[in-house]
């Protein structure tokens, strides 16, 4: 009996058989209906649901942004978790599409709560140009691209990192704030008037909040109303 499948699906199935796609978290083969992440790993994501409760427990980490509008994060970050594996792939293995995938996935969740009506602009916490050149991209930019697509809100790079500070991972809370103070500024070619603009600032992971708060200061000085989004947050 001849197959009733469309020819394009037959070709797709054949290509998948020869060149299968693998889950970015567990490395198992994906089915045709799965993209980047298998159903099992997707169900293992520890979602925070913080976007449904504003203000929430994240606001307390941003004491230098007294007029913070919204703060939200997709997943709780834990060692060995699915989200840690995905972000490792994104940051260190050159898998840029994971950032777009996660941004678009979260954007679709936010769309259900009408967050597309709450921001005028999306921007990101920048990397120092040396690190950007080495990696080839800013992982937060990729997340923002996915968010922009899902929410239909423009994404613009507004900031630059002036100083390439040492890694924050082994520093205590107060040391992290001292380490990033005055390291960010506006890009010189930015002409956008940010007065009372509702700007969503995007980063990959939230720990103490030191880096994001430092990045937000130039935007606040320009009159922007700040909201913050990350893909993961440490408890």
């Amino acid at each position: 009996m001849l197959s009733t499948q469309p020819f394009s699906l037959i070709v797709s199935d054949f290509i998948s058989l020869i060149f299968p796609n693998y889950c970015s978290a567990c490395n198992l083969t994906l089915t045709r209906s799965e993209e980047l992440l298998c159903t099992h790993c997707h169900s293992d994501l520890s979602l925070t649901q913080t976007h449904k409760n504003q203000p929430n427990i994240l606001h307390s980490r941003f004491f230098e942004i007294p007029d913070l509008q919204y703060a939200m994060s997709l997943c709780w970050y834990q060692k060995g978790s699915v989200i840690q594996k995905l972000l490792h792939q994104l940051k260190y293995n050159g898998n840029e599409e994971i950032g777009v995938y996660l941004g678009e996935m979260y954007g679709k969740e936010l769309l259900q709560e009408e967050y597309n009506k709450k921001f005028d602009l999306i921007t990101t916490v920048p990397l120092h140009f040396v690190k950007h050149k080495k990696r080839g991209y800013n992982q937060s930019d990729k997340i923002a691209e996915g968010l922009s697509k899902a929410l239909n809100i423009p994404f613009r790079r507004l900031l630059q990192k002036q100083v390439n500070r040492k890694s924050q991972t082994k520093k205590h809370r107060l040391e992290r704030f001292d380490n990033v103070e005055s390291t960010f500024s506006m890009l010189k070619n930015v002409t956008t008037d940010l007065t009372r603009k509702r700007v969503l600032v995007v980063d990959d992971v939230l720990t103490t909040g030191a880096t994001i708060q430092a990045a937000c200061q130039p935007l606040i000085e320009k009159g922007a109303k700040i909201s913050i989004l990350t893909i993961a947050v440490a408890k």
Side-chain angles (χ1 to χ4, degrees):
M1 180 181 292
L2 292 175
S3 173
T4 57
Q5 282 187 309
F7 181 72
S8 59
L9 292 181
I10 296 174
V11 172
S12 177
D13 286 343
F14 178 76
I15 293 174
S16 296
L17 182 64
I18 304 301
F19 303 105
N21 293 316
Y22 299 98
C23 175
S24 297
C26 70
N27 210 36
L28 290 178
T29 305
L30 296 176
T31 66
R32 189 170 62 196
S33 62
E34 295 171 336
E35 179 186 1
L36 290 177
L37 196 63
C38 71
T39 302
H40 176 73
C41 286
H42 192 283
S43 66
D44 275 351
L45 289 171
S46 182
L47 304 177
T48 72
Q49 301 295 338
T50 46
H51 64 285
K52 294 185 177 181
N53 301 289
Q54 300 288 336
N56 55 49
I57 59 174
L58 303 185
H59 283 69
S60 62
R61 303 196 190 188
F62 300 108
F63 57 87
E64 291 189 2
I65 310 177
D67 296 321
L68 181 65
Q69 303 295 296
Y70 302 100
M72 64 201 82
S73 189
L74 176 63
C75 297
W76 295 111
Y77 185 92
Q78 292 179 311
K79 188 174 182 179
S81 64
V82 171
I83 200 65
Q84 186 208 27
K85 293 174 183 177
L86 291 176
L87 290 176
H88 189 275
Q89 289 282 332
L90 170 62
K91 293 176 70 172
Y92 304 114
N93 289 3
N95 201 335
E96 302 176 43
E97 60 184 338
I98 287 177
V100 180
Y101 171 83
L102 290 171
E104 192 169 359
M105 181 175 72
Y106 201 14
K108 290 175 180 177
E109 290 290 319
L110 299 178
L111 197 60
Q112 296 179 24
E113 303 293 326
E114 297 189 330
Y115 274 93
N116 58 315
K117 300 177 182 178
K118 298 176 181 179
F119 310 119
D120 301 306
L121 196 63
I122 297 172
T123 196
T124 52
V125 175
L127 296 176
H128 187 267
F129 78 90
V130 172
K131 185 175 288 187
H132 192 288
K133 184 176 181 181
K134 182 178 179 180
R135 186 170 296 166
Y137 59 92
N138 178 0
Q139 68 274 7
S140 297
D141 287 354
K142 298 302 172 181
I143 296 165
E145 288 174 18
L147 285 165
S148 177
K149 180 180 178 181
L151 296 173
N152 195 29
I153 298 173
F155 161 48
R156 301 281 185 272
R157 296 179 184 89
L158 301 176
L159 300 165
Q160 62 181 350
K161 190 173 184 181
Q162 300 168 295
V163 182
N164 193 19
R165 300 289 188 187
K166 293 180 180 179
S167 172
Q168 296 273 74
T169 54
K170 296 184 179 179
K171 294 183 179 295
H172 297 297
R173 180 178 174 86
L174 292 178
E175 289 178 324
R176 292 188 183 202
F177 280 90
D178 291 339
N179 192 48
V180 297
E181 188 176 6
S182 303
T183 61
F184 298 94
S185 64
M186 300 294 296
L187 283 168
K188 298 190 185 309
N189 62 349
V190 172
T191 58
T192 306
D193 182 7
L194 296 180
T195 305
R196 299 195 63 78
K197 290 288 186 182
R198 301 169 300 170
V199 179
L200 178 63
V201 182
V202 174
D203 204 5
D204 55 349
V205 180
L206 168 61
T207 50
T208 63
T211 300
I212 302 178
Q213 285 189 112
C216 287
Q217 294 310 309
L219 303 172
I220 293 171
E221 292 170 8
K222 293 293 183 180
K225 300 173 71 174
I226 302 297
S227 294
I228 290 169
L229 179 149
T230 66
I231 289 300
V233 55
K235 290 185 177 180

